[in-house]
Amino acid sequence: QVQLVESGGGLVQAGGSLRLSCAASGSIFRINAMGWYRQAPGKQRELVANNISGGSQDYASSVKGRFTISGDNAKNTVYLQMDSLKPEDTAVYYCSAILATTQAKETMVRYWGQGTQVTVSS
């Protein structure tokens, strides 16, 4: 089975930094997109940053200039470097990937990690 495992969350003071990582494992033929979402209490899950096959990247406007997404293709891993953290960044951060397990198009599905808590204190 395919599994996404996040790590790197924790408690940090405003202005500090954290680096999240997410490793995809299992039977993976191709990853079409891999990125990060977050969900704060009482709010809907939102896109934070996303890497799309071909090299394009998307960022939420609230994190542009502060967060950087990167990846290691050989390890099927994506990272999120978070700098200048603010209390409003507090949320559960989820890794997500759209990937195929075989060359058959019908095996392409979105997968989610279990989430990692990021708490930014003032």
Side-chain angles (χ1 to χ4, degrees), residues 48 59-64:
V48 177
Y59 290 93
S61 60
S62 60
V63 308
K64 287 182 179 178

Side-chain angles (χ1 to χ4, degrees), residues 27-40:
S27 182
I28 299 171
F29 178 78
R30 175 179 173 84
I31 299 176
N32 285 2
M34 194 168 179
W36 295 91
Y37 293 72
R38 68 185 181 188
Q39 188 166 23

Side-chain angles (χ1 to χ4, degrees), residues 1-67:
Q1 74 281 12
V2 173
Q3 187 175 17
L4 305 180
V5 179
E6 304 106 326
S7 63
L11 175 64
V12 65
Q13 289 187 320
S17 298
L18 286 172
R19 185 173 186 254
L20 307 183
S21 64
C22 173
S25 62
S27 182
I28 299 171
F29 178 78
R30 175 179 173 84
I31 299 176
N32 285 2
M34 194 168 179
W36 295 91
Y37 293 72
R38 68 185 181 188
Q39 188 166 23
K43 296 184 178 180
Q44 294 191 31
R45 189 171 298 185
E46 65 173 345
L47 173 71
V48 177
N50 196 38
N51 275 343
I52 300 173
S53 179
S56 64
Q57 297 178 329
D58 291 327
Y59 290 93
S61 60
S62 60
V63 308
K64 287 182 179 178
R66 300 189 297 119
F67 292 8

